[in-house]
Amino acid sequence: MPIHKTEAIVINKRDFRETSVIADFYTRDFGKISGILKGIRTDPAKFASRIELFSYNEIIFYRRRISSLHLVSHADLKNNFSNIRQNMLKVAVASFAMELLGALMAPEDKNEDIFNLILACLQELDTDGNPDKIITILKIKILGLSGFKPHLDSCVSCGSRIMGLSKFSSVLGGLLCEKCYRKDATSRNIFRGTVATIMHIEKNNIKNNLNLGMNPQIKKELNLILNSFLNFHLEKELKSQRLLNKLGVTA
């Protein structure tokens, strides 16, 4: 079995038998992988990390050729994001990021830009980052980077340039012009400012986007459109999104 070292963020973990843990990681060099850490529950000193949810680690693993479950021999903790863990809202946002990452990304589909995005979001949450803004930025940018970007440059149906009013279709994946509204009866009205906000966030890094002001109407509309779009394409509502709704996170 070839041996590899890589940076990894813990998407989730579960106990395996009496002594071990199976964890899903999103790695810088290999994308999403699953690994077993044998004996970590009975002899945690073997590892330099407890493999907590959304922790940032450097792992060494043996890559199995005939199985998607690899053997992790070492995990060295780089950042546990302890400030996030002291705030229920931030924990909920970080948990959502992990669930979304796990749902969107196929196994072993490397995407270093997405790794950097998730890491940057966790680092901002761990300092003084605004959880509402961070989750909005995350949703917009991860959709673009993962290939699920909504079509906003023109009408998704006929391709014409949109000069006036438009609606957003989660089913068709973008904007509809006035002539094409009837092609999706579930399409929603959308402000031009909302479209401009999405496009601004797509083009800028997280620090610049955190300085972006959003009026309450656009914030509310972003919440409706992004959640509807994600739910349609994932074919479910994420459990962590339901928790965020209860906590009053508006995007």
Side-chain angles (χ1 to χ4, degrees):
M1 293 185 292
I3 187 170
H4 301 283
K5 179 190 287 188
T6 187
E7 296 168 56
I9 297 167
V10 180
I11 298 174
N12 61 55
K13 71 172 187 177
R14 54 231 179 252
D15 292 343
F16 181 73
R17 296 179 178 168
E18 293 81 14
T19 64
S20 305
V21 162
I22 292 175
D24 295 329
F25 300 94
Y26 197 75
T27 71
R28 181 179 293 281
D29 302 298
F30 302 94
K32 186 172 69 174
I33 65 169
S34 296
I36 183 168
L37 295 87
K38 292 185 176 180
I40 190 172
R41 291 164 60 201
T42 52
D43 188 12
K46 284 176 58 179
F47 298 86
S49 173
R50 294 173 61 188
I51 309 297
E52 292 188 279
L53 181 67
F54 63 80
S55 63
Y56 171 40
N57 302 269
E58 184 173 73
I59 63 171
I60 296 173
F61 71 98
Y62 293 87
R63 195 173 191 181
R64 290 173 169 164
R65 298 188 185 279
I66 58 172
S67 172
S68 60
L69 184 63
H70 308 299
L71 176 63
V72 179
S73 62
H74 187 77
D76 192 8
L77 181 66
K78 294 174 74 69
N79 195 334
N80 197 44
F81 303 111
S82 57
N83 290 331
I84 294 177
R85 299 178 194 279
Q86 296 172 25
N87 182 296
M88 182 182 295
L89 178 56
K90 290 186 176 185
V91 168
V93 171
S95 299
F96 173 85
M98 297 304 101
E99 190 179 3
L100 180 59
L101 184 60
L104 278 178
M105 303 307 294
E108 302 197 27
D109 183 11
K110 175 184 174 180
N111 190 318
E112 197 166 355
D113 288 334
I114 286 182
F115 182 91
N116 289 334
L117 169 67
I118 296 294
L119 186 57
C121 287
L122 291 171
Q123 289 168 338
E124 290 295 337
L125 270 178
D126 198 49
T127 54
D128 295 321
N130 182 315
D132 277 11
K133 275 193 176 180
I134 287 172
I135 199 168
T136 301
I137 294 164
L138 169 67
K139 287 176 181 178
I140 292 169
K141 292 191 77 66
I142 199 170
L143 283 170
L145 293 172
S146 62
F148 289 91
K149 175 181 175 180
H151 187 92
L152 302 174
D153 298 326
S154 57
C155 177
V156 71
S157 179
C158 69
S160 63
R161 186 179 177 188
I162 295 176
M163 303 298 292
L165 298 175
S166 63
K167 289 190 175 185
F168 184 84
S169 168
S170 294
V171 175
L172 297 175
L175 296 181
L176 290 172
C177 67
E178 291 181 272
K179 294 179 181 179
C180 296
Y181 285 175
R182 70 188 67 178
K183 295 185 179 179
D184 177 13
T186 66
S187 60
R188 300 170 179 267
N189 292 324
I190 185 169
F191 297 122
R192 296 185 71 147
T194 302
V195 176
T197 298
I198 293 172
M199 296 180 78
H200 180 279
I201 289 173
E202 286 176 347
K203 294 174 183 177
N204 287 274
N205 64 35
I206 188 168
K207 286 196 175 292
N208 287 339
N209 284 324
L210 284 171
N211 293 323
L212 177 66
M214 293 184 208
N215 71 45
Q217 281 186 311
I218 287 178
K219 196 173 180 182
K220 181 179 180 180
E221 190 169 76
L222 278 171
N223 175 46
L224 291 171
I225 285 171
L226 291 172
N227 290 348
S228 173
F229 187 77
L230 281 169
N231 293 347
F232 178 80
H233 288 282
L234 295 176
E235 299 182 343
K236 62 180 180 180
E237 182 179 43
L238 299 181
K239 292 179 181 178
S240 49
Q241 180 62 63
R242 292 197 289 271
L243 174 59
L244 287 169
N245 294 341
K246 290 179 182 178
L247 293 173
V249 176
T250 56

